[in-house]
Amino acid sequence: MQSDRAAKTPRHVAIIMDGNGRWANARGLPRTAGHRAGVERVREAVRTAHEAKIEFLTLFAFSSENWNRPKQEVSDLMGILRFFIHKDLAELHRENVRVRVIGCRETVQSDIRKLLDEAEERTRENTGVTLIIAFNYGARDELVRAVRTIAEAVSAGNLDPASIDEHTVSDTVDTAGIPDPDLVIRTSGEQRLSNFLLWQAAYSELVFIPCLWPDFDRKAFYEALNEYAHRDRRFGTVSAPDIAVGS
């Protein structure tokens, strides 16, 4: 499968993991069952990223809007997160995976925040796939926090407003030091970003997969990678064949 994509492997893949609830509803199961099934796909996605030599994998685990879901579902999701970190952190560490977390942590329960901090600290020196977990994350909130930080630096006299450019923002958002995603995948057939990496995805290739997240297996991941491999990424420029035709 890798040979089909030749050398066109994205360095950074971001995934909106959508459809857990619908997967469970279609089977007459509680929504929690869908979220639990989705955790296994997280494990498989990390293994596939390693196999495909993807350096960075970002997973949209819990948005800042998800707190508006029914209290029991939110409670179940927090329980699943606790279980995942307790159960999988040691294995991720053994597999040389580095964990990073993006999103606002200030309003998160203290024990969850401690687990997220522990996951980052324990794997900080690992050099394999970097797994970026977007938790309590919303792109607009991220940009507001970045603008506030920049404004404070200007107010303190530490930053000249005239020097503010794209690099200033990129160095201030949650993903500072991480390359922008080359490919954003969304499962479940929905075709929108839903407040995910709005700054970083400016030039990302978007692939929308019809299957629900608990059905997103290794084969589906490679199909998305193959779709990416056939895209012509020009970043606003004109390709050589187009220049020849237009000349």
Side-chain angles (χ1 to χ4, degrees):
M1 290 183 180
Q2 291 181 357
S3 60
D4 291 341
R5 297 184 294 110
K8 291 192 67 175
T9 299
R11 187 180 181 196
H12 182 179
V13 175
I15 305 179
I16 302 172
M17 307 180 293
D18 193 19
N20 290 339
R22 277 169 281 174
W23 183 91
N25 290 338
R27 289 160 176 77
L29 300 171
R31 289 176 62 85
T32 304
H35 296 309
R36 293 189 183 280
V39 169
E40 182 53 42
R41 293 312 183 194
V42 169
R43 299 181 180 116
E44 186 168 8
V46 175
R47 292 192 294 266
T48 304
H50 170 75
E51 177 183 273
K53 302 188 184 310
I54 293 165
E55 297 179 47
F56 300 87
L57 177 66
T58 298
L59 301 179
F60 201 2
F62 190 86
S63 79
S64 51
E65 289 81 19
N66 285 158
W67 297 108
N68 297 321
R69 293 188 176 187
K71 289 184 178 180
Q72 185 57 55
E73 182 174 354
V74 171
S75 177
D76 290 340
L77 284 168
M78 294 304 104
I80 291 171
L81 176 66
R82 292 184 181 96
F83 178 80
F84 175 78
I85 295 177
H86 281 303
K87 182 177 185 297
D88 289 67
L89 182 57
E91 181 177 352
L92 290 170
H93 186 45
R94 284 194 301 270
E95 295 297 323
N96 199 29
V97 174
R98 182 182 181 185
V99 177
R100 285 190 57 174
V101 182
I102 62 174
C104 181
R105 296 189 215 185
E106 284 71 14
T107 58
V108 176
Q109 294 164 286
S110 60
D111 69 314
I112 296 286
R113 189 164 60 247
K114 183 177 180 180
L115 286 173
L116 297 176
D117 291 343
E118 177 189 352
E120 286 188 313
E121 184 59 35
R122 186 171 179 182
T123 63
R124 187 176 301 278
E125 302 302 321
N126 291 347
T127 57
V129 176
T130 296
L131 173 61
I132 302 142
I133 301 172
F135 178 79
N136 194 27
Y137 174 86
R140 288 185 173 183
D141 172 71
E142 173 189 35
L143 290 171
V144 167
R145 288 186 283 108
V147 169
R148 188 178 296 126
T149 298
I150 293 170
E152 289 171 352
V154 171
S155 179
N158 298 323
L159 180 63
D160 179 2
S163 70
I164 297 172
D165 57 14
E166 290 185 15
H167 297 292
T168 309
V169 179
S170 292
D171 290 341
T172 310
V173 294
D174 294 353
T175 54
I178 298 171
D180 290 341
D182 304 290
L183 170 63
V184 176
I185 301 169
R186 180 169 187 152
T187 60
S188 87
E190 302 292 350
Q191 298 185 19
R192 56 181 177 271
L193 287 175
S194 294
N195 202 20
F196 181 54
L197 300 180
L198 298 181
W199 175 266
Q200 299 87 339
Y203 282 101
S204 300
E205 295 297 320
L206 308 180
V207 173
F208 301 106
I209 305 293
C211 73
L212 304 174
W213 174 248
D215 295 323
F216 186 81
D217 56 11
R218 177 179 176 276
K219 180 176 181 291
F221 201 152
Y222 271 108
E223 287 174 353
L225 294 177
N226 279 321
E227 170 67 22
Y228 169 85
H230 289 89
R231 300 284 180 88
D232 181 16
R233 305 188 75 204
R234 288 180 280 185
F235 301 97
T237 63
V238 180
S239 64
D242 289 340
I243 294 175
V245 170
S247 61

